[in-house]
Amino acid sequence: MTQSARDFVDNPAMRDRLMRRATYASVTVAVVLIAAKLAAWLVTDSVALLASLIDSLLDALASLVNLFAVRQALTPADKEHRFGHGKAEALAGLGQAALIIGSALFLVVESIQRLISPQPVAYGLAGIGVMVFSILLTGVLVLYQRHVIRNTNSLAISADRLHYLSDLLTNLTVLVALAITSLPGFLWVDAVGALIVAAVVLKSAIDIVRGALDHLMDRELADEERERIKDVVRRHPEAAAMHDLRTRQSGNQVFIQFHLELDPEMPLRQAHAIAVEIEREVLVLFPGAEVIIHQDPAGMLEDLPPFAGRTV
């Protein structure tokens, strides 16, 4: 991680400001693309362009949802929400997915109708010009969102970036469809291009749903990240072992807790100091995480009933 990235992670105000800027940029780009594609569709009557226009309309709605979700997710923890409001991002992701699935099904119906009754595409060069512009503008936004995600680990911005990554592919598809449709005997390519857009949109919706459900269901961090936490404990000379490692993520907030086994004869003050040292090492790997370490006498595990979540 670069020093500038570390600055964003270690400074919540900088991180929050970056996330808000990303939502504003997303909404702005969506509005510009809607205007351009609407004008192009009105003069071309291309169903592939219509598919791209609907995609951009949904992106605008999703970006607005993200804007409010990020604002809510960044609200500090309060008495009623001790763990913060990070899951607002996951809820927003599910809302986006519902919109995307509905649009994809609409595109499938429209595309099949156009396959049955192909229509000529007028002013194809105008449509091609708009799609080239859309690809360039979307590419700039995706690069900026990548920068934001690297520094904030935001689920909402990640979901939004998935929309615009799919937009790049769909815009390219529409561009090719418009170019081929202008050739004699290839009117059907316009509808095929729209069907491809619908398939990509559905795939994006499925990815968003999976990510949102992982957060809402408190899915563990990836195995490699859990191993990095275990390695911190293994490296400490006075740590005997650890157990009951549990991790989860809510928005951009990571929660880590585990039991640390230490010498039973060790003074409490020394045990506390070791736990603090290990906590600081974990925070180097996961800046801003909430880390809870419970100290246990080595070899004397608590006499608690077993449960599925209890793990090493």
Side-chain angles (χ1 to χ4, degrees):
M1 181 179 289
T2 64
Q3 183 57 47
S4 60
R6 176 71 66 188
D7 290 341
F8 276 112
V9 171
D10 293 339
N11 188 324
M14 293 175 67
R15 181 190 63 204
D16 296 354
R17 185 165 58 250
L18 188 63
M19 289 175 63
R20 288 192 176 96
R21 286 176 179 173
T23 60
Y24 299 149
S26 178
V27 171
T28 301
V29 168
V31 170
V32 171
L33 292 180
I34 287 169
K37 292 178 181 180
L38 176 60
W41 173 63
L42 289 175
V43 300
T44 63
D45 195 33
S46 164
V47 70
L49 248 174
L50 174 62
S52 187
L53 171 60
I54 292 174
D55 195 26
S56 291
L57 283 169
L58 287 169
D59 284 340
L61 288 174
S63 295
L64 285 171
V65 170
N66 266 349
L67 191 153
F68 292 110
V70 166
R71 181 174 296 177
Q72 180 66 23
L74 295 177
T75 303
D78 52 39
K79 287 169 50 176
E80 288 77 28
H81 306 89
R82 298 286 186 178
F83 292 98
H85 302 78
K87 289 188 177 181
E89 292 192 45
L91 293 173
L94 289 178
Q96 292 174 36
L99 291 172
I100 293 170
I101 291 171
S103 69
L105 295 177
F106 171 77
L107 289 178
V108 169
V109 173
E110 286 293 311
S111 301
I112 292 175
Q113 289 179 348
R114 192 60 66 92
L115 273 175
I116 296 172
S117 302
Q119 300 292 328
V121 174
Y123 299 99
L125 287 179
I128 290 173
V130 167
M131 296 317 300
V132 170
F133 169 74
S134 299
I135 290 169
L136 293 175
L137 187 58
T138 303
V140 171
L141 177 63
V142 166
L143 289 175
Y144 179 62
Q145 288 175 323
R146 180 184 180 188
H147 165 69
V148 173
I149 294 166
R150 280 183 173 180
N151 290 292
T152 66
N153 200 30
S154 168
L155 175 65
I157 304 302
S158 297
D160 213 30
R161 183 170 179 265
L162 274 176
H163 292 165
Y164 286 100
L165 279 173
S166 68
D167 275 358
L168 283 176
L169 179 56
T170 56
N171 288 339
L172 284 170
T173 301
V174 173
L175 180 62
V176 172
L178 287 173
I180 296 177
T181 303
S182 62
L183 301 175
F186 286 92
L187 292 179
W188 54 270
V189 174
D190 185 42
V192 170
L195 283 172
I196 293 174
V197 171
V200 173
V201 166
L202 278 174
K203 174 62 168 58
S204 297
I206 292 171
D207 290 340
I208 293 170
V209 169
R210 286 175 177 170
L213 289 179
D214 283 348
H215 279 69
L216 291 173
M217 300 298 292
D218 291 333
R219 183 183 178 90
E220 288 281 344
L221 297 181
D223 289 342
E224 55 268 24
E225 294 180 326
R226 288 170 52 85
E227 282 302 317
R228 293 167 69 196
I229 298 170
K230 295 177 184 179
D231 286 340
V232 169
V233 177
R234 296 185 187 115
R235 289 197 303 266
H236 198 286
E238 296 184 87
M242 70 180 293
H243 61 276
D244 285 2
L245 171 61
R246 300 183 217 173
T247 61
R248 67 185 181 93
Q249 184 170 350
S250 179
N252 59 6
Q253 178 70 53
V254 174
F255 296 88
I256 301 169
Q257 63 184 73
F258 58 87
H259 290 220
L260 176 66
E261 298 179 40
L262 301 168
D263 183 349
E265 305 302 322
M266 182 179 292
L268 177 60
R269 185 182 299 275
Q270 184 180 355
H272 172 74
I274 293 171
V276 170
E277 290 174 3
I278 291 176
E279 179 180 348
R280 287 173 177 165
E281 289 294 320
V282 172
L283 287 173
V284 171
L285 300 177
F286 301 92
E290 181 175 307
V291 182
I292 299 176
I293 303 176
H294 175 79
Q295 297 107 45
D296 281 337
M300 299 173 61
L301 300 185
E302 304 97 322
D303 186 17
L304 296 176
F307 60 93
R310 191 171 295 282
T311 125
V312 175

